[in-house]
Amino acid sequence: MATELDSLLPELKEFSIPDTQFKVVDPLELPEQTRKAFDEFMADASAPAPFCVYSHDYSRFCKMVRKGEITIG
């Protein structure tokens, strides 16, 4: 199971964007089914820019998936 989750929850490279105090990641790098679940998770949340999300939001999502609180697919 861990191997499957590792492939569904890849480590995304953090980067900075101007005028944003937290690091961000690009969710477009996620596998399609993970991205769909992450999009649902992020519904109604704020994002620093249309092409990225806060890395701490992605980390929280990953923790919730690993704990079984969110199902992918």
Side-chain angles (χ1 to χ4, degrees):
M1 178 79 165
T3 304
E4 181 182 353
L5 283 180
D6 289 343
S7 65
L8 291 173
L9 301 170
E11 185 174 329
L12 299 179
K13 182 177 169 91
E14 291 184 324
F15 60 97
S16 298
I17 57 174
D19 301 320
T20 302
Q21 78 182 85
F22 300 111
K23 297 283 186 178
V24 296
V25 294
D26 181 356
L28 297 178
E29 297 177 14
L30 293 172
E32 184 178 347
Q33 63 193 83
T34 302
R35 189 172 39 79
K36 287 179 182 179
F38 186 65
D39 287 346
E40 289 178 24
F41 170 76
M42 289 298 294
D44 300 326
S46 63
F51 60 88
C52 61
V53 296
Y54 293 120
S55 63
H56 60 260
D57 287 328
Y58 179 62
S59 293
R60 186 166 54 104
F61 169 78
C62 291
K63 287 178 187 174
M64 293 176 76
V65 170
R66 291 186 187 281
K67 289 170 66 176
E69 297 173 16
I70 296 174
T71 304
I72 296 176

